[in-house]
Amino acid sequence: MYLTNGRVFAVLAAVFACVSRSEAFTINVPPSQQPMVSVSSIQAQLPNSTPSSSLNLPSQSELLQKASSFSTINLAAAAPVTAVAPATATPTAKPATAVASTAGVSITGVNFDGLEKTTEADEYVVISNGSKAPMDVSGYYVYVATTGTPGPTFTFPKSSTIKPGASVRVYTNEIHKETGGYSYGSGKAIWNNRGGLAVMKDSKGKKVCEFKYTPSA
């Protein structure tokens, strides 16, 4: 007994969906029909149908091979991972060593009225270091500016240093080693007894300070 055309197409669809099965197998049909139907008999009823061998369906082993290839990760094609170096802490700069400024050196007095008659060689100007560090005053110079222009000038020689809190004197024409041993070497008085101005500059010509004096009442 043969299947109707509708049932034949239904059977063929089931056959094509079963890739891993053999070409010769049996299909259960309703009890009213032939219990066993072969594929070859179905093909005999369909002269224009294509044999199952011409469908070029992949075998079970080929399907497994393709599936295994999808599960393999190509590490060579993977994007390279760039290592990130840890942040380096910026070292804290150490504070600079404090250096005494020229503001620590100043003129602190002028003895303008000497006891020596005529020459007043014992006149002097006082230079003090008010800082807490020794001050190198080499090249510094002190001059009389009573008339508005530089007058008699004394320049500290090389390696002249004033200790912290100490003072030196620059005499008009005397040498006193206990107060520094400095002198203008002038044969006459240089500080006006009616008042005047003393100016000190550093070795580069920058004004350090000035000192204005007046006669006492």
Side-chain angles (χ1 to χ4, degrees):
M1 184 176 182
Y2 295 98
L3 298 174
T4 62
N5 290 340
R7 294 180 179 276
V8 169
F9 286 118
V11 171
L12 285 176
V15 171
F16 294 154
C18 298
V19 177
S20 61
R21 299 180 180 180
S22 60
E23 293 184 357
F25 58 90
T26 58
I27 302 175
N28 294 327
V29 295
S32 62
Q33 303 298 329
Q34 181 70 26
M36 299 295 291
V37 179
S38 65
V39 176
S40 58
S41 64
I42 294 174
Q43 291 177 348
Q45 295 294 325
L46 299 173
N48 295 329
S49 60
T50 303
S52 60
S53 59
S54 63
L55 293 177
N56 296 327
L57 296 175
S59 64
Q60 184 176 4
S61 61
E62 291 175 342
L63 291 174
L64 291 174
Q65 185 177 2
K66 289 183 178 181
S68 63
S69 64
F70 291 134
S71 62
T72 303
I73 300 175
N74 187 357
L75 295 178
V81 178
T82 303
V84 179
T88 303
T90 303
T92 304
K94 295 182 179 180
T97 303
V99 178
S101 65
T102 55
V105 180
S106 61
I107 300 172
T108 56
V110 174
N111 180 29
F112 56 87
D113 191 7
L115 299 178
E116 294 286 339
K117 293 181 179 181
T118 309
T119 61
E120 295 190 43
D122 54 344
E123 296 174 330
Y124 58 83
V125 57
V126 182
I127 312 298
S128 302
N129 178 8
S131 71
K132 296 181 180 181
M135 293 296 303
D136 184 359
V137 292
S138 302
Y140 282 46
Y141 53 99
V142 182
Y143 61 89
V144 180
T146 302
T147 61
T149 58
T153 302
F154 167 81
T155 301
F156 284 95
K158 186 177 180 180
S159 300
S160 296
T161 302
I162 304 177
K163 295 180 180 180
S167 299
V168 296
R169 296 178 181 180
V170 182
Y171 283 84
T172 298
N173 198 22
E174 290 184 356
I175 301 297
H176 296 270
K177 291 183 179 181
E178 69 276 10
T179 57
Y182 304 115
S183 175
Y184 278 91
S186 175
K188 61 180 181 180
I190 60 175
W191 300 106
N192 196 318
N193 291 344
R194 293 189 299 270
L197 181 68
V199 176
M200 180 169 63
K201 293 186 178 181
D202 63 16
S203 58
K204 296 180 180 180
K206 180 180 179 180
K207 181 186 286 189
V208 176
C209 66
E210 61 182 31
F211 183 86
K212 185 176 183 180
Y213 66 95
T214 57
S216 58

